[in-house]
Amino acid sequence: MAQPVRNIDEMRPTPDPATVARMTTVEIPAEVREGQYGTKVVAVEPGGAEFIALDERHGRPGQLFWTWMSPNLEFATVFVGVISILFFQQSFWAAVAAIVLGTALGSLTHGVLSARGPEFGVPQMVLSRIAFGRWGNALPAGLNAVVAGIGWFAVNSVSGALALTTLTGMSSALSLVIVVAAQVLIAFMGHNLVHTFERYAFPLLAVAFLLASVLTLAKARPGAAAGGGGLGGFLLTVGAAFGYAAGWNPYATDYTRYLRPDTNRRAVALWSGLGVFVSCVVLEVVGAASATIAAPAGANPTAAFTSHLPGAVAKLTLVAIAVGAICANVLNIYSGAMSFLALGIRLPLTLRRAIVAIVFGAFGFLVALSGLKDAGHRYESFLLVISYWVGPWLAVYLVDWYLRRGRRVDGFLFDRAHHPWGGFVAMAVGMVLSIWLFSNQQRYVGPVPRHWPAFGDVTFEVGFLVAALLYAATFRLQRDATAQEAAVTAVPVR
């Protein structure tokens, strides 16, 4: 049963009289998460993607640092740097510059998006309804459900399974079963256990990867990187680094929505963005350095990365890779389930989020099982594809936020009659046009990079720009965008 909450108006500062004069107050039922959860850790989080009642709010901004550090202290992060040297043919220092640039962009947007969680109390893909509406939001929420709950889950499960196989000698399939089972269990329990697991995993991961990083950088030969990738390779690396960091953007408020409404927004943005930036830059640079060290022929990616490390450090690193994969995937399954529920599909179950998490885990396991071979090239393509859709979605989301600045938008979160078309059109056109013309990956090369290889892959940059301009142009043409802004009174839905 849904629990009563105070009026959402109590969560916001009092607007100036001129703004009040322009506003029309419309009471729209707010879908409030049912059940009592509070700060319990060993308990299944009830409900789904609904508004978090004010008496359920808890936590502090500082916890977001390890929540976003831990999931990036894993091999998938390292491999972004590896492919910058081996696949994109960058010199070591060019790779470092591209990694810093791409990661900075993705981390900046992640911090900005995270800061809205305490204010609105809903998952990121529910906030996406403001620009996309209930129906149009099926595009970004549906894509994120598949990419997070299945795609990213499979990528990280593979790296964790390969590390466990290298460490123990077990079959890769059995290692995959063990890794997936741990991930699904934690995600099934929910928000509080996810934060707690990331916190306690952080010291192990930090120590293991610090040792591995120091030894790798000491043995690296930066001058051994062949280079020759030019501007095209540089842009490919920027795209891959951005795709990795920005891949967390559609999850942002999923992990800040339980914070109290008066939580300092700057602190939320800082700790969220810094956690992504520091972890990604350090391990991706270390990955680039490791690619300059000779590895045994035929070794799988995790074995190649640890081959130059002393025995004890290599084993500790392999343990950390497996644990890091679990840290990443509990977020992927949790947020994948949130995105699926943000589609508006009503499941008459108190544990609907938990049940959806199990389903995504099962599908992700099957995809991961098929990806145990040729993991490197599959991962390269996957990273670029992420940036292809995140860029246009992010453009629509940020432009809409800017154009509605100073106005009330709470009502659009739960208004079933809110069906703007501009967001869907801008994102779809941005994706189709940029992928068709500029995509440059293993399975498809667009006409621009096919004729001018020096362009590399600028799909996400073009997609972001096209979607942003198109949405800005159509914003005032859609009826919903020019209507008086609605204020929500949170009335529990039973």
Side-chain angles (χ1 to χ4, degrees):
M1 179 178 294
Q3 304 297 314
V5 299
R6 297 197 300 271
N7 191 305
I8 290 181
D9 290 341
E10 298 177 26
M11 299 166 54
R12 298 184 177 281
T14 303
D16 62 86
T19 301
V20 172
R22 295 196 304 269
M23 290 169 53
T24 299
T25 300
V26 178
E27 291 191 353
I28 297 173
E31 300 166 11
V32 184
R33 200 218 67 209
E34 69 263 67
Q36 295 295 322
Y37 186 48
T39 59
K40 292 181 287 188
V41 174
V42 186
V44 179
E45 178 188 5
E50 302 83 16
F51 172 78
I52 303 302
L54 301 185
D55 58 2
E56 289 278 291
R57 304 297 187 89
H58 61 276
R60 53 191 177 81
Q63 72 189 34
L64 297 167
F65 183 68
W66 57 67
T67 295
W68 292 112
M69 278 285 286
S70 295
N72 291 310
L73 296 177
E74 51 129 5
F75 187 70
T77 316
V78 172
F79 206 60
V80 175
V82 173
I83 63 177
S84 70
I85 301 293
L86 297 185
F87 296 173
F88 302 151
Q89 296 297 298
Q90 290 293 280
S91 68
F92 176 76
W93 294 111
V96 170
I99 286 167
V100 171
L101 176 59
T103 303
L105 293 173
S107 302
L108 175 64
T109 53
H110 187 73
V112 170
L113 267 59
S114 296
R116 294 188 100 184
E119 182 181 12
F120 288 95
V122 295
Q124 187 63 59
M125 281 296 126
V126 173
L127 271 176
S128 185
R129 292 173 182 169
I130 298 171
F132 289 87
R134 282 271 180 167
W135 296 344
N137 198 45
L139 178 60
L143 279 171
N144 194 52
V146 174
V147 170
I150 299 176
W152 265 122
F153 178 83
V155 165
N156 290 311
S157 294
V158 168
S159 65
L162 291 176
L164 196 57
T165 295
T166 304
L167 180 66
T168 65
M170 291 189 299
S171 70
S172 56
L174 179 57
S175 295
L176 184 62
V177 169
I178 294 172
V179 169
V180 168
Q183 294 164 166
V184 173
L185 175 62
I186 296 169
F188 175 82
M189 298 299 285
H191 177 274
N192 292 347
L193 183 57
V194 168
H195 276 290
T196 301
F197 181 76
E198 304 293 350
R199 175 184 180 181
Y200 286 103
F202 176 68
L204 166 67
L205 298 173
V207 170
F209 279 110
L210 178 61
L211 290 173
S213 297
V214 170
L215 292 170
T216 298
L217 292 172
K219 293 185 178 182
R221 297 183 299 127
L231 178 61
F234 181 84
L235 293 176
L236 281 166
T237 305
V238 171
F242 171 82
Y244 189 88
W248 299 116
N249 286 186
Y251 308 9
T253 66
D254 296 6
Y255 305 97
T256 61
R257 75 193 199 283
Y258 272 86
L259 295 173
R260 287 179 288 276
D262 59 355
T263 302
N264 186 298
R265 294 188 192 180
R266 291 185 179 180
V268 172
L270 174 66
W271 290 115
S272 298
L274 198 61
V276 173
F277 181 78
V278 172
S279 54
C280 288
V281 167
V282 171
L283 285 199
E284 288 170 18
V285 169
V286 170
S290 73
T292 67
I293 303 172
N300 69 47
T302 56
F305 175 67
T306 58
S307 62
H308 62 279
L309 300 175
V313 176
K315 290 180 179 179
L316 180 61
T317 303
L318 289 169
V319 171
I321 289 173
V323 173
I326 296 172
C327 286
N329 271 348
V330 297
L331 301 188
N332 289 322
I333 305 174
Y334 184 87
S335 289
M338 284 295 174
S339 295
F340 178 79
L341 293 169
L343 294 172
I345 298 172
R346 295 292 297 173
L347 300 176
L349 299 168
T350 302
L351 302 181
R352 53 185 166 274
R353 179 209 54 78
I355 299 301
V356 172
I358 290 178
V359 174
F360 274 111
F363 277 108
F365 169 77
L366 295 176
V367 174
L369 191 62
S370 68
L372 287 172
K373 295 182 179 180
D374 194 26
H377 285 94
R378 289 174 185 264
Y379 184 44
E380 170 201 353
S381 299
F382 182 69
L383 277 172
L384 294 173
V385 168
I386 291 170
S387 68
Y388 292 172
W389 82 266
V390 169
W393 166 76
L394 194 57
V396 171
Y397 184 92
L398 293 177
V399 170
D400 180 84
W401 186 358
Y402 175 77
L403 293 175
R404 297 183 195 273
R405 65 194 183 281
R407 303 179 186 178
R408 294 293 298 274
V409 293
D410 343 19
F412 296 140
L413 300 176
F414 306 104
D415 186 358
R416 295 181 180 274
H418 178 54
H419 301 304
W421 51 269
F424 180 92
V425 170
M427 179 177 172
V429 171
M431 287 176 59
V432 171
L433 194 63
S434 61
I435 292 172
W436 168 50
L437 291 175
F438 295 95
S439 176
N440 186 6
Q441 58 156 305
Q442 191 178 28
R443 295 186 180 277
Y444 173 73
V445 178
V448 174
R450 190 184 312 131
H451 291 88
W452 296 281
F455 269 95
D457 191 319
V458 293
T459 307
F460 95 82
E461 294 96 330
V462 173
F464 183 95
L465 184 61
V466 169
L469 293 176
L470 186 57
Y471 186 74
T474 60
F475 180 78
R476 298 191 184 282
L477 299 179
Q478 53 189 9
R479 187 181 65 177
D480 291 280
T482 56
Q484 295 292 331
E485 304 293 66
V488 170
T489 296
V491 180
V493 177
R494 300 181 184 276

